[in-house]
Amino acid sequence: MLAAERQAAILDRLTHQPAVRVSGLALALGVSEMTVRRDIDTLEARGALVRVHGGAVRIGSLSSVEAGFDANRTRGGLAKQQIAATAVSLLTPGMTVSITGGTTTYTLAPLLARVQGLTIITNSLPLADELHRLRSAGPGDRAPEVLLSGGQLTPSKALVGPIATSTISSLRADLCFMGAHGVDAAAGITTPNLAEADTNKAFARACGELVILADATRIGVVSLARVAALDSATALVTDQPPDDDYGTLTRILCEPVPDPPLEERP
């Protein structure tokens, strides 16, 4: 297959889906991953797509478009489970933990209930609702206490704006788990929602340690509004190693979630 044909095939895929992975393209096109990366570089130079860690996304899908919670919830489920399991291993009983909105942070909910005596500060309606449900169903001495900010609701079902920012700024957490629309070595942590950026800045300021939770599709992505510089975070929990230009940031890679026994698989 000629380079022009491969590149046309890549762009055709991006008309039907917002992102493509290098590994998937290499398999589909019958070429090496290095060849696919060169094609993506060529297409990016032409302004036809945006290269991100592990693949590419179509133009216009990054900087100012915020996908809804339900749309993102089903994306990258295994990676989110890996990230959540690794993140919760950083906690100790009795901690106060702040958690921003998003589908990756929502995946933490059932695991948080396993750590005794946690207090959770969050602006995520789905996370607060799930923790309330778990508290009602499980032993009261293990289920986390939940403090929910007020504010305006975003498409990601997070509460943002002056009320949320004021509430979060008045509290102090030992550790903050922050989801991110984009994590980039130069641009830092970014989001397409301006109000959410301000609220997440408050989360970043009001904690002892900031831990970013982001799967590989978020690495290298730059969105509209900056939340914080990357060096303000203690750690990045992700499912694939980012490039070496992420400096001194501690990178915690996920342990794979084991496959269920064959008899339990659908």
Side-chain angles (χ1 to χ4, degrees):
M1 183 181 290
L2 298 175
E5 293 174 304
R6 294 194 306 269
Q7 291 161 19
I10 293 171
L11 293 178
D12 180 67
R13 287 201 170 205
L14 284 174
T15 64
H16 297 96
Q17 58 194 75
V20 291
R21 283 185 172 275
V22 168
S23 56
L25 289 171
L27 184 62
L29 299 174
V31 296
S32 69
E33 293 190 4
M34 182 62 70
T35 297
V36 172
R37 289 191 184 95
R38 285 197 295 266
D39 286 337
I40 287 175
D41 288 342
T42 298
L43 290 168
E44 185 181 52
R46 285 165 39 192
L49 52 70
V50 178
R51 180 178 59 84
V52 297
H53 181 76
V57 298
R58 64 180 175 227
I59 296 293
S61 64
L62 298 180
S63 66
S64 60
V65 177
E66 181 178 14
F69 180 88
D70 294 329
N72 270 334
R73 185 175 175 181
T74 57
R75 184 187 61 81
L78 180 58
K80 290 173 183 176
Q81 292 175 44
Q82 293 171 339
I83 289 167
T86 302
V88 170
S89 72
L90 304 177
L91 302 180
T92 57
M95 290 181 75
T96 297
V97 184
S98 59
I99 303 176
T100 68
T103 54
T104 302
T105 51
Y106 172 78
T107 311
L108 293 165
L111 305 180
L112 294 171
R114 301 176 187 175
V115 184
Q116 189 166 356
L118 294 180
T119 298
I120 305 298
I121 303 165
T122 188
N123 67 331
S124 168
L125 279 181
L127 177 66
D129 185 61
E130 181 64 11
L131 290 175
H132 175 73
R133 187 188 68 78
L134 292 169
R135 185 174 180 82
S136 300
D141 62 338
R142 293 191 68 86
E145 292 279 356
V146 181
L147 303 177
L148 179 65
S149 75
Q152 298 168 297
L153 193 62
T154 70
S156 60
K157 297 186 179 179
L159 296 167
V160 301
I163 295 173
T165 301
S166 176
T167 300
I168 293 158
S169 297
S170 68
L171 303 171
R172 181 74 181 175
D174 299 304
L175 182 147
C176 174
F177 288 134
M178 180 176 289
H181 187 272
V183 179
D184 180 77
I189 305 154
T190 57
T191 175
N193 188 302
L194 294 173
E196 188 165 34
D198 285 340
T199 300
N200 283 357
K201 286 175 184 177
F203 273 111
R205 289 191 297 263
C207 67
E209 294 185 86
L210 176 62
V211 177
I212 307 303
L213 311 184
D215 65 49
T217 65
R218 305 299 187 180
I219 307 301
V221 172
V222 179
S223 198
L224 179 65
R226 192 186 203 202
V227 175
L230 204 58
D231 60 10
S232 66
T234 304
L236 166 66
V237 181
T238 187
D239 58 318
Q240 291 185 29
D243 297 333
D244 292 336
D245 59 0
Y246 278 67
T248 59
L249 179 69
T250 302
R251 290 164 288 184
I252 304 175
L253 302 180
C254 301
E255 292 296 328
V257 174
D259 291 332
L262 288 175
E263 62 271 15
E264 296 180 12
R265 298 182 187 178

